[in-house]
Each structure stands twice: as structure tokens, then as C-alpha cells.
Amino acid sequence: MSKQQRPAQPGGARGWRALVKPYAVGAISRFWLSWYRLKYGKRVYFGANFITNGKLVVKGPGKVIFGDDVNAWCNAEKNVLITYRPEARIIIGDEVRLNGAGIMAHTTIEIGARSNVGSVIMLDSDFHPLDPRLRRDPSAPFASAPVIVGRNVWVGGQTALLKGVTVGENSVIGFRAVVTNSVPANTVVAGNPARVVKRLD
């Protein structure tokens, strides 16, 4: 009997992959989680059931906190989380999905539970003063304000959330949007600068 004539096996290769995948993901995540705990120590807290394929970079003296059931498995870009002061905090809520996020905190950046976060850049400061005479002076003060993302928010790819922004729950940040002002709950925003383009029921 030729290959084409053979009856399909129940489930087939896809069925086996579906059965094996959760165990493989769990084993890979446990390996990387053990490595991260050794590498980062008490600066980084991982909640239960953290998922990763090793594409996670954490830098800086501040604290990074991951809630329970966080999925940080990346398809392409790494998740890079950087704190710039010992007092800085990056807080990732329960059941958040991170896929290629770049998060840089001088003060606080917080992502609410059940949010989906793509290849965003989140910055809570300007990093340099606006005054051209002071931009290269590392001791010069610059503006900084927390970034807060509410529950169940979808942050699209290649977006930017800038200092002082609060995003209301259930909202959507459209592809390549640049968010400079706070976003109301239950809205879709898009553009540069981002504006409300739709309201959600």
C-alpha cells in the first residue's frame, strides 16, 4: 500500500505534538527558571508557572516582579527589562503574555493582569534633559513619571508607551502607535501620537 493510500492514523503527527508540547514547554521553562534564579538572585521574583524559552534579559539594580502564570516565551525578539536605580520597579501581573517587550524603568512600570504585550518599548523617563546644553551631562536632571498598564490590555507590536502614561483596562494599543497621553478604558488607540479610533462595548 502506498503512502497516499494508507489510512490516516488518529491524531497523526500533529496529535502527538499537541500531547508532548506542554511537557516540553514545562521542562524548558524549568531549566531556564533555575538558571535565572541563580543569575539574578533576589532582584527578580518569579511567580508560579513562569514560561520562558530563554529569551529574557534583566539588567539593573532595581526590582523586577513577575506574577503567577506569566508567559514570556518569545517568537523572535527577546524580552528585555532594565531598571536604572535601586528604587526602580517593574511589575508584571498574573497571566501576562510578554513577546519581545523592551521595558526600561527609572521609577515604576506596571503591567496589569491578563494583558498581552508585543514588541513594545515602555519608557518612564526622557533619559536626557531637553536642554541641548545639558543632554550629555549624566548628572543633569530629566523628567520621569510611572507608566501603568491596566488589566486585560492588548499592546500591539512596535508600539511605544512614554513616561506618565496610564492605559485603562481592556484597551488596545494599535500597531506602531506612539502613546504620549493616557488612554481611557475600553478604547482602541492608534497613530503617532496615538488617538482614540474606536470605543469597545
Side-chain angles (χ1 to χ4, degrees), residues 22-75:
Y23 298 101
V25 168
I28 292 167
S29 296
R30 285 191 295 274
F31 168 80
W32 282 109
L33 190 54
S34 298
W35 167 245
Y36 289 144
R37 283 176 170 152
L38 284 171
K39 183 176 182 180
Y40 299 132
K42 294 182 179 180
R43 289 188 299 115
V44 183
Y45 172 81
F46 296 95
N49 306 314
F50 185 81
I51 294 176
T52 179
N53 57 347
K55 292 185 176 183
L56 173 67
V57 177
V58 179
K59 296 181 179 180
K63 194 90 169 166
V64 176
I65 301 167
F66 293 98
D68 295 338
D69 303 301
V70 171
N71 184 343
W73 191 286
C74 294
N75 296 319

Side-chain angles (χ1 to χ4, degrees), residues 87-195:
E87 301 82 10
R89 295 290 181 268
I90 297 174
I91 302 166
I92 311 297
D94 296 342
E95 299 182 62
V96 167
R97 175 74 174 99
L98 294 175
N99 187 6
I103 302 173
M104 289 165 263
H106 272 272
T107 56
T108 301
I109 297 180
E110 184 171 354
I111 300 174
R114 298 184 60 81
S115 291
N116 291 330
V117 180
S119 54
V120 65
I121 296 293
M122 292 189 191
L123 313 169
D124 70 352
S125 80
D126 289 336
F127 290 95
H128 305 279
L130 292 178
D131 188 332
R133 297 167 298 176
L134 300 175
R135 285 180 201 160
R136 298 180 63 85
D137 180 356
S139 64
F142 50 82
S144 183
V147 174
I148 308 295
V149 176
R151 292 176 55 90
N152 199 38
V153 169
W154 177 9
V155 183
Q158 299 181 29
T159 56
L161 271 64
L162 305 185
K163 69 179 188 301
V165 162
T166 296
V167 180
E169 64 179 12
N170 303 320
S171 289
V172 177
I173 311 300
F175 181 71
R176 289 187 174 173
V178 178
V179 184
T180 58
N181 294 301
S182 292
V183 176
N186 301 297
T187 59
V188 179
V189 300
N192 179 9
R195 295 179 174 84

